[in-house]
C-alpha cells in the first residue's frame, strides 16, 4: 500500500508531527510505502478564483508544488492528514494547497460534484492548545477536523479514523494514550 502523510504543522518536531511520525513507523513496519509532505515547505501560489480549473481540469496558474502533491495524492492508496488548530480551522498553507488542487480532487457536474478519490482511505488528526474537553466544545480541534472532513467528503475519501488532541500547551508530550490511538489508527488503513 502506498500511503501519503500530509503534515500541516509548521513544527517538524511538535506533538502533531510526533503523532504522524508514529503512524508512519507503524505503516512502514507493516511494509507499506510511506511519503510525507510538509505543507509549510511547499511553494504554492494562491488561488485567484478564476474557475478555469473547473472547466479545463487543470490550474491556470504556472506550475508549482501543488501539482506535485496532487499527483502524490492520486497515486496514494491512503492519505493521513494532520493539522494543528488555527482559529478553529486548518493552517493557511494547508488550505492553500487544497484550494489549488480542487480540480484534481473533485469534478464539477451539472447536479453534484463528482468525487475523484473514491476508494481511498483517510485518517484525520488535529491538535490544539485548548484543553480537553474545551477543544471539542468550542470547536477548536473539532474545527480543524471539520475542515479536513469537508475536503475528504467532496473528494470521496473514506475516513477510517480521526484523532483530536487538546491541551498541548500544558501537556506537550506524547502520552501512552496518544501512542495507542496512533497505532490503532494506522492499523485501520
Amino acid at each position: 500500500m502506498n500511503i501519503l502523510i500530509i503534515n500541516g504543522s509548521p513544527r517538524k518536531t511538535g506533538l502533531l508531527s510526533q503523532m504522524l511520525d508514529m503512524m508512519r513507523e507503524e505503516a512502514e513496519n507493516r511494509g507499506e510505502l510511506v511519503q510525507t509532505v510538509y505543507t509549510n515547505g511547499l511553494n504554492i501560489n494562491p488561488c485567484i478564483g478564476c474557475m478555469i480549473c473547473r472547466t479545463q481540469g487543470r490550474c491556470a496558474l504556472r506550475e508549482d508544488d501543488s501539482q506535485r502533491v496532487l499527483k502524490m495524492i492520486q497515486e496514494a492508496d491512503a492519505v493521513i492528514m494532520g493539522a494543528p488548530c488555527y482559529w478553529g480551522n486548518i493552517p493557511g498553507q494547508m488550505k492553500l494547497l487544497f484550494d489549488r488542487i480542487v480540480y484534481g480532487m473533485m469534478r464539477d457536474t451539472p447536479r453534484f460534484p463528482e468525487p475523484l478519490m473514491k476508494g481511498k482511505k483517510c485518517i484525520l488528526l488535529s491538535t490544539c492548545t485548548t484543553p480537553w474537553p474545551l477543544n471539542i466544545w468550542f470547536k477548536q480541534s473539532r474545527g480543524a477536523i471539520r475542515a479536513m472532513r469537508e475536503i475528504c467528503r467532496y473528494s470521496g475519501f473514506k475516513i477510517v479514523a480521526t484523532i483530536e488532541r487538546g491541551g498541548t500547551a500544558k501537556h506537550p508530550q506524547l502520552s501512552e494514550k496518544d501512542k495507542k490511538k496512533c497505532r490503532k489508527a494506522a492499523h485501520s488503513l
Side-chain angles (χ1 to χ4, degrees):
M1 180 182 288
N2 183 5
I3 299 171
L4 177 64
I5 296 174
I6 300 175
N7 186 340
S9 177
R11 298 179 181 170
K12 287 189 176 182
T13 59
L15 189 63
L16 180 92
S17 295
Q18 291 174 48
M19 294 171 87
L20 292 171
D21 287 344
M22 175 160 279
M23 290 182 189
R24 176 190 189 95
E25 287 176 28
E26 279 296 313
E28 286 177 341
N29 288 341
R30 289 194 330 258
E32 312 296 354
L33 173 64
V34 185
Q35 297 179 75
T36 301
V37 168
Y38 296 90
T39 59
N40 267 37
L42 300 175
N43 180 22
I44 302 175
N45 293 308
C47 176
I48 59 172
C50 68
M51 302 302 280
I52 289 173
C53 67
R54 301 293 182 104
T55 57
Q56 294 185 9
R58 64 173 183 76
C59 184
L61 298 176
R62 67 177 169 79
E63 193 164 320
D64 58 23
D65 287 339
S66 62
Q67 289 85 9
R68 180 178 62 82
V69 175
L70 174 59
K71 186 171 174 45
M72 294 170 80
I73 293 170
Q74 291 169 332
E75 292 172 353
D77 300 305
V79 174
I80 301 172
M81 287 187 220
C85 172
Y86 282 27
W87 290 94
N89 210 319
I90 60 177
Q93 187 71 3
M94 188 174 196
K95 171 109 172 43
L96 183 61
L97 168 66
F98 287 106
D99 286 348
R100 283 290 308 284
I101 62 174
V102 65
Y103 66 92
M105 306 282 285
M106 61 172 244
R107 183 179 3 263
D108 275 344
T109 66
R111 296 191 76 202
F112 297 105
E114 176 189 347
L116 300 177
M117 298 295 147
K118 276 197 160 211
K120 296 178 188 272
K121 293 180 180 179
C122 189
I123 296 173
L124 305 178
L125 172 64
S126 182
T127 58
C128 71
T129 57
T130 307
W132 185 87
L134 301 177
N135 65 307
I136 306 293
W137 294 348
F138 296 122
K139 295 182 175 48
Q140 294 302 297
S141 59
R142 182 69 38 98
I145 292 291
R146 179 203 48 80
M148 291 184 284
R149 189 180 300 278
E150 285 294 299
I151 293 165
C152 292
R153 184 172 59 121
Y154 283 106
S155 301
F157 284 100
K158 179 183 180 188
I159 300 168
V160 296
T162 60
I163 300 173
E164 294 179 56
R165 169 61 149 75
T168 61
K170 269 190 156 179
H171 304 285
Q173 316 83 350
L174 198 58
S175 70
E176 286 306 314
K177 187 176 178 180
D178 295 329
K179 292 176 185 178
K180 185 176 179 180
K181 286 181 182 179
C182 291
R183 285 188 203 104
K184 183 178 178 182
H187 283 278
S188 65
L189 292 178

